[in-house]
Amino acid sequence: MQQPDSTERGANVSFPPPLVYIGFIVLGALLQYTIAPIPFPGDAWIRIVGVIIVVAGLALVFSALGTFKRTGQDPKPWTPSPELIVQGPYRWTRNPMYVGLTCILIGLGLALNNLWFSSLAAVALLVVHFMAVLPEENYLKEKFGRSYEDYRAKVRRYI
């Protein structure tokens, strides 16, 4: 792993993407309890599926964080990336943390019978897509060139 130059900056992301998801959880709770709940026939099976989706999302997020830790890198997108990570969950998706956070939001909606959460998951991912994913991709393409292009050709952005 090469050491980043002290003046090098990472992707042009200025807001922590997990806070976007937290903001949409807060918004979903406000909509559920102040405006109106979305009518939903939430039986036990749907709640169990929701819990499974939350657990899968958490596993994906923590697996990606563990991969960053094993490679000695910082997962914050505005920090420099000394090497391209292509192992762990990054073998199947270029954005496992964002996929995991989206799954958590969908699963919470099902598990807690709050379809605002599930409905807002797509909006949260769309915000993160423009706010973080596209700047991260531009940074990685500029920094790693052909290696990143080859990786992009093999691995999907989300799923």
Side-chain angles (χ1 to χ4, degrees):
M1 177 173 70
Q2 73 183 49
Q3 292 300 320
D5 168 330
S6 64
T7 61
E8 182 183 1
R9 216 175 118 61
N12 188 20
V13 177
S14 56
F15 190 79
L19 292 182
V20 171
Y21 288 92
I22 291 170
F24 278 100
I25 288 172
V26 170
L27 177 60
L30 287 172
L31 291 169
Q32 178 82 0
Y33 298 109
T34 61
I35 306 293
I38 298 175
F40 181 68
D43 65 5
W45 287 107
I46 291 175
R47 290 176 189 236
I48 290 169
V49 168
V51 169
I52 291 168
I53 293 171
V54 168
V55 169
L58 286 168
L60 192 55
V61 169
F62 284 110
S63 176
L65 288 171
T67 302
F68 266 89
K69 185 173 180 153
R70 277 190 302 283
T71 62
Q73 295 191 55
D74 191 333
K76 292 189 257 356
W78 50 83
T79 60
S81 297
E83 69 181 275
L84 194 58
I85 297 177
V86 296
Q87 65 262 26
Y90 290 90
R91 291 176 291 182
W92 303 289
T93 172
R94 297 193 316 256
N95 296 286
M97 287 188 230
Y98 305 144
V99 171
L101 289 168
T102 303
C103 287
I104 291 167
L105 199 49
I106 291 168
L108 279 175
L110 298 175
L112 300 176
N113 198 19
N114 180 338
L115 286 191
W116 285 109
F117 290 161
S118 298
S119 306
L120 292 170
V123 179
L125 182 59
L126 187 65
V127 169
V128 167
H129 176 79
F130 287 103
M131 183 194 83
V133 173
L134 294 179
E136 287 173 10
E137 287 181 349
N138 288 336
Y139 167 75
L140 294 171
K141 182 179 177 184
E142 184 179 303
K143 175 143 186 177
F144 298 107
R146 187 72 190 152
S147 296
Y148 183 66
E149 289 298 325
D150 291 345
Y151 173 65
R152 276 180 49 160
K154 293 177 195 165
V155 179
R156 293 181 182 203
R157 180 181 278 153
Y158 297 114
I159 53 174

